[in-house]
Amino acid sequence: MTQVVIGENENIESALRRFKRQVSRSGILADVKSRRHFETPLEKRKRKASTARGKRGMS
């Protein structure tokens, strides 16, 4: 669970920026987006294969 403790002299905007950064680093939004629709086992295999191909090409 992501938490941000606000300091005494800290404004809300900077705390919100820190919270957004923590959420993006933890991968929560990517996980939510991937679970938005049901993915069949065939679609999972295709997605994993395509990401593996992409990673193999970058190395």
Side-chain angles (χ1 to χ4, degrees), residues 17-54:
R17 251 192 319 264
R18 282 194 302 132
F19 176 74
K20 286 181 180 181
R21 195 176 320 126
Q22 284 181 2
V23 167
S24 67
R25 284 183 184 165
S26 66
I28 294 171
L29 286 181
D31 188 41
V32 168
K33 286 180 183 178
S34 71
R35 293 174 188 265
R36 189 168 287 177
H37 301 287
F38 179 73
E39 188 176 31
T40 64
L42 176 66
E43 291 171 340
K44 273 185 193 174
R45 282 195 301 270
K46 284 183 179 180
R47 181 179 45 81
K48 286 183 180 181
S50 69
T51 56
R53 267 195 309 272

Side-chain angles (χ1 to χ4, degrees), residues 2-7 9-23:
T2 304
Q3 286 185 341
V4 174
V5 179
I6 300 175
N9 296 327
E10 186 179 20
N11 58 4
I12 297 296
E13 288 81 19
S14 65
L16 185 61
R17 251 192 319 264
R18 282 194 302 132
F19 176 74
K20 286 181 180 181
R21 195 176 320 126
Q22 284 181 2
V23 167

